[in-house]
Amino acid sequence: MTEPHPHSHFLLLLLPFFFIALPAASNDTTYPNCPSYKCGDVPISYPFWIIDGESTTQFCGYQGFGINCSPILIPEIRLGGDSYDVQWIFPESSKISLVDKDVLTVLPGPNPDKCPRVRHRINLESLPLNYTSHNVNLTFHFGCNECPDFATEIRCLERKSCLQIMNNGTDEEDWNEFSCTGDVVTTVIRDHINRFLPNLSTTFGDVLRLGFELEWWRMDDCDKCEESGGRCGHHNTAGFICFCSDGTTNKDHCKDSEKNVKKKVIISLCSAVFGILLMCVVFYIWRRRQNKRRSYGSSYRSRNISSFTSSMTDPEKNGAYHGVQIFKYRELEKATNYFDSRNELGDGGFGTVYEGKLKDGRVVAVKRLYENNYKRVEQFMNEVGILAHLRHRNLVSLYGCTTHHSRELLLVYEYISNGTVADHLHGEKSSPGSLKWTTRMSIAVETASALVYLHASDVVHRDVKTNNILLDNSFTVKVADFGLSRLFPNNVTHVSTAPQGTPGYVDPEYHECYQLTNKSDVYSFGVVLVELISSKPAVDITRHRHEINLSSMALSKIQNDALHELVDPHLGYDTDNEIRKMISAVAELAFQCLQNDRDSRPSMDEVLECLVAVQNGMSSNKHNMLDGTSDDAVLLNHSQDMSPDSVAAAWSTSTLSTSSG
């Protein structure tokens, strides 16, 4: 008789489960009163429901939460009589993303896509909906005599129209003298406003088309219903309803009916019988294998040990793939306490980061990538393999990730405990004078060193910012999120949704060619240098409109010989001559990094060389840039009389002359 294949044991073990699953599958109920539905890519679920055309009184969700699925599979909801497209529904966070249909409608005119006309206010009526904390109001004033300083003129609309961000301390009385004929208030996401500043007069249409968020508060808890196998519904007068699979309804959850109890008893008896038969078969096969093993002798045992050793080195069986450690989703879920919001460390364009503790005791940072953004899994794994093999003392170590077998893709990094540079400059860990200039210089040098290494490895970071520069307890830099955009699609036809950079740090040329290069990292690093000098955030909409972007403020202050107005007063710029020289040199370097023309910016190698020279006191002949006769000293003293191009040219000449000595 032929020896059974070892895998046959596993197939036999699975037999009872097939018999158990079959009766349940055959009795699946479709819940005719509340069908599950998907409109395009958007799943519609409780408390929302589909208006099916036959009846608009479905008991599937809250009154007013009915959604029409248009012929082109775009879900629509009406608020206050006006239509909005539903971009996505997030049941876990109770949020819905909407966009006003008015701003999607192509109107007559020279630039219909760039100049939408908002015609109504958002009316939530008495629905259980609220604006989220991410929203900010925009007010459009139409037919004005002129636009005030605190508003932006929109030239493409009729007569004279003005746009105001409603968080700068103004009120309606400030508009009385401008004799506007009408106004409309709408809402948008605050981050989208920051992203398109300071050109809001020409990009406001892009902001409106990105939509806004609302959140609903649940007037009931349907968890019990769903856990008991039911589906949640809502009656306008009776309140919450739980639809059960046997066709009955209940107030909170589905209790087992007599029919279901009998069914379970029968299934249990069948399972027991099959279990006994299975044990008999397994015992027979085991005894037969034992007898054969005795006849094989030592040669069999030797081959078996060799086979066992080989299987132990199999990367797939050891939880590795192309050298990347593979984590199980359930392990990371437990490590982060099921992605508890209290474990959240931050979020960005690619995903949300949570602190977690693995079974082996390691504390890690788990990045939960946003859904539907990553490329196909095989390519994703190849890219992760490249990033995981990048090793530098100033880069955060990437330990590994999950695979397509898990519910979602997660990245696992080493945990850095001391927060980000942004936290220490102007965030929750900041305090006047706490971050000394010497520490800031070390941060600049170590960050530049990491970027030089990435560029030498043909990796463009694409999102250099102080929130991605982490600090350990000894204030050593650990750059995070490097190369993540390699994992995401880069489709220039959908640049509004592609995660490319952060407002305030993005290369100005990106909006012309939609490409980020090594010189784009240089520009972003220039903004980081200005943050280190000033302790100010890269974007702040409460500042004067021409200084909302820190880069614009820095260029203006340096060109107008007003660097002292930019520098953090607690750094010793006015009291310590050496610190004053170092800050002036770093400010000049930042000025070069922030040039609009990429070719006028230095490379990261040149930036690092200059920073190391500044850190070492600029004493060598090779880097003699701070004495009274150096070109850069002249540039700093007279930059207000020169254009950025002339400054860039002079800086390049100075660099060549000093590096050749």
Side-chain angles (χ1 to χ4, degrees):
M1 182 175 179
T2 305
E3 176 69 8
H5 194 279
H7 290 182
S8 63
H9 297 172
F10 298 103
L11 294 175
L12 288 170
L13 286 171
L14 291 175
L15 278 175
F17 298 100
F18 286 119
F19 285 100
I20 292 172
L22 284 175
S26 63
N27 288 306
D28 182 38
T29 303
T30 58
Y31 297 90
N33 289 333
C34 244
S36 86
Y37 202 91
K38 193 172 185 182
C39 184
D41 293 329
V42 181
I44 310 300
S45 61
Y46 182 83
F48 298 93
W49 51 280
I50 284 290
I51 300 173
D52 59 11
E54 298 177 1
S55 172
T56 58
T57 57
Q58 299 262 16
F59 299 155
C60 303
Y62 296 164
Q63 185 177 12
F65 277 30
I67 291 179
N68 279 301
C69 189
S70 70
I72 56 174
L73 296 180
I74 296 179
E76 301 175 1
I77 191 170
R78 293 184 69 81
L79 301 176
D82 301 309
S83 294
Y84 297 84
D85 280 358
V86 179
Q87 295 179 308
W88 200 254
I89 297 174
F90 307 94
E92 298 84 2
S93 56
S94 299
K95 292 180 182 177
I96 181 171
S97 177
L98 304 176
V99 61
D100 189 345
K101 288 192 75 69
D102 272 8
V103 304
L104 297 175
T105 304
V106 177
L107 301 174
N111 295 301
D113 293 331
K114 296 290 184 182
C115 198
R117 172 70 157 85
V118 180
R119 300 186 180 279
H120 53 257
R121 300 170 182 255
I122 301 169
N123 184 1
L124 301 182
E125 298 177 317
S126 58
L127 296 176
L129 290 169
N130 276 332
Y131 296 108
T132 69
S133 58
H134 300 297
N135 292 328
V136 63
N137 284 345
L138 290 181
T139 299
F140 292 84
H141 292 265
F142 304 110
C144 305
N145 291 335
E146 58 179 325
C147 291
D149 292 337
F150 54 80
T152 301
E153 181 178 352
I154 304 176
R155 300 180 183 276
C156 59
L157 293 177
E158 71 271 10
R159 244 179 97 199
K160 187 178 287 288
S161 299
C162 312
L163 174 60
Q164 177 190 0
I165 303 173
M166 293 298 291
N167 62 347
N168 56 5
T170 61
D171 53 40
E172 289 304 317
E173 293 183 1
D174 296 322
W175 286 91
N176 291 341
E177 62 180 290
F178 299 102
S179 302
C180 301
T181 59
D183 63 86
V184 172
V185 179
T186 187
T187 188
V188 294
I189 302 297
R190 185 187 306 272
D191 288 345
H192 296 162
I193 286 283
N194 292 337
R195 178 178 183 176
F196 287 96
L197 283 172
N199 299 317
L200 196 58
S201 61
T202 57
T203 61
F204 75 96
D206 296 319
V207 176
L208 292 173
R209 277 186 287 274
L210 288 173
F212 58 93
E213 287 183 353
L214 298 175
E215 58 185 353
W216 69 87
W217 63 90
R218 299 184 71 161
M219 297 184 294
D220 44 65
D221 188 354
C222 74
D223 292 341
K224 284 185 179 180
C225 175
E226 291 178 343
E227 288 173 2
S228 66
R231 181 168 292 161
C232 302
H234 190 87
H235 190 280
N236 296 339
T237 56
F240 179 75
I241 295 176
C242 184
F243 293 98
C244 301
S245 59
D246 59 2
T248 63
T249 61
N250 208 310
K251 282 297 294 180
D252 50 8
H253 66 283
C254 298
K255 299 178 181 178
D256 287 338
S257 64
E258 183 179 351
K259 179 181 177 182
N260 288 335
V261 171
K262 290 181 179 179
K263 184 190 298 183
K264 290 184 178 180
V265 170
I266 294 172
I267 291 175
S268 298
L269 290 174
C270 292
S271 299
V273 172
F274 278 109
I276 293 171
L277 292 175
L278 176 63
M279 285 190 290
C280 293
V281 172
V282 171
F283 179 73
Y284 169 77
I285 295 175
W286 176 77
R287 285 294 301 270
R288 192 172 182 278
R289 289 178 64 84
Q290 286 294 102
N291 293 334
K292 280 205 169 191
R293 234 178 231 151
R294 293 191 188 100
S295 66
Y296 284 156
S298 60
S299 61
Y300 173 84
R301 288 194 296 272
S302 176
R303 290 195 302 272
N304 192 41
I305 292 172
S306 175
S307 174
F308 176 76
T309 305
S310 175
S311 68
M312 288 295 289
T313 57
D314 184 351
E316 285 287 349
K317 295 180 181 179
N318 267 333
Y321 182 80
H322 290 311
V324 180
Q325 184 175 352
I326 301 302
F327 293 88
K328 293 181 179 179
Y329 179 84
R330 188 173 297 277
E331 176 188 2
L332 299 180
E333 192 178 39
K334 291 180 179 178
T336 59
N337 195 20
Y338 298 93
F339 301 105
D340 191 330
S341 59
R342 289 172 293 185
N343 286 20
E344 187 174 325
L345 299 174
D347 55 17
F350 298 99
T352 306
V353 182
Y354 298 85
E355 179 182 346
K357 188 172 184 180
L358 301 178
K359 290 184 294 185
D360 60 11
R362 281 185 296 171
V363 179
V364 295
V366 180
K367 181 176 283 289
R368 193 180 193 184
L369 297 180
Y370 291 143
E371 192 175 6
N372 296 330
N373 273 345
Y374 41 77
K375 299 179 181 179
R376 56 193 179 90
V377 172
E378 183 180 357
Q379 187 174 357
F380 175 89
M381 294 299 298
N382 290 337
E383 297 290 358
V384 171
I386 294 172
L387 299 181
H389 286 86
L390 295 176
R391 289 288 184 267
H392 189 277
R393 70 182 297 270
N394 298 122
L395 290 179
V396 173
S397 295
L398 175 60
Y399 291 153
C401 62
T402 58
T403 69
H404 64 287
H405 296 295
S406 69
R407 194 176 309 168
E408 51 189 319
L409 292 181
L410 307 173
L411 297 174
V412 183
Y413 294 92
E414 68 171 314
Y415 174 71
I416 309 300
S417 58
N418 200 17
T420 68
V421 172
D423 293 335
H424 288 273
L425 288 177
H426 41 68
E428 58 185 20
K429 293 179 178 288
S430 64
S431 61
S434 61
L435 202 61
K436 303 298 182 184
W437 174 250
T438 52
T439 304
R440 300 187 188 209
M441 273 302 307
S442 296
I443 290 171
V445 170
E446 292 177 9
T447 304
S449 176
L451 293 176
V452 167
Y453 172 79
L454 289 176
H455 290 180
S457 305
D458 293 326
V459 175
V460 181
H461 190 292
R462 291 183 170 88
D463 199 15
V464 178
K465 58 182 177 181
T466 50
N467 274 317
N468 279 337
I469 304 173
L470 310 182
L471 299 171
D472 65 14
N473 289 329
S474 61
F475 285 87
T476 299
V477 162
K478 296 285 185 177
V479 175
D481 277 8
F482 51 90
L484 275 190
S485 54
R486 294 172 66 105
L487 312 180
F488 290 76
N490 185 16
N491 185 346
V492 297
T493 64
H494 294 85
V495 292
S496 62
T497 58
Q500 298 284 350
T502 299
Y505 297 90
V506 181
D507 182 352
E509 287 197 359
Y510 172 70
H511 299 293
E512 296 178 7
C513 59
Y514 301 112
Q515 289 182 343
L516 294 178
T517 66
N518 290 358
K519 289 298 183 76
S520 303
D521 282 353
V522 172
Y523 182 91
S524 302
F525 183 72
V527 180
V528 171
L529 291 179
V530 178
E531 281 190 76
L532 291 170
I533 292 171
S534 66
S535 301
K536 300 178 186 295
V539 173
D540 187 349
I541 61 176
T542 63
R543 294 195 291 248
H544 187 276
R545 61 183 300 183
H546 299 299
E547 297 182 345
I548 289 176
N549 275 356
L550 184 60
S551 56
S552 301
M553 177 193 293
L555 292 173
S556 174
K557 298 298 183 186
I558 295 173
Q559 283 182 309
N560 292 292
D561 199 18
L563 182 59
H564 61 282
E565 296 178 6
L566 180 69
V567 177
D568 183 340
H570 300 93
L571 294 180
Y573 180 80
D574 295 324
T575 57
D576 189 314
N577 190 48
E578 287 302 314
I579 290 179
R580 182 186 184 92
K581 288 181 179 180
M582 294 173 77
I583 291 177
S584 299
V586 173
E588 175 60 25
L589 178 61
F591 184 88
Q592 307 307 325
C593 294
L594 294 175
Q595 295 299 304
N596 281 337
D597 181 13
R598 289 179 178 174
D599 294 335
S600 299
R601 302 172 201 158
S603 66
M604 278 310 306
D605 295 274
E606 294 170 324
V607 170
L608 177 59
E609 184 180 7
C610 183
L611 285 173
V612 170
V614 174
Q615 188 181 43
N616 292 338
M618 312 294 294
S619 58
S620 67
N621 292 331
K622 183 177 180 180
H623 301 291
N624 187 19
M625 300 172 65
L626 289 178
D627 63 330
T629 59
S630 70
D631 290 342
D632 287 278
V634 175
L635 294 178
L636 287 172
N637 291 331
H638 302 287
S639 58
Q640 72 272 22
D641 299 325
M642 304 176 68
S643 69
D645 291 337
S646 61
V647 174
W651 184 88
S652 300
T653 304
S654 173
T655 303
L656 290 173
S657 63
T658 56
S659 61
S660 62

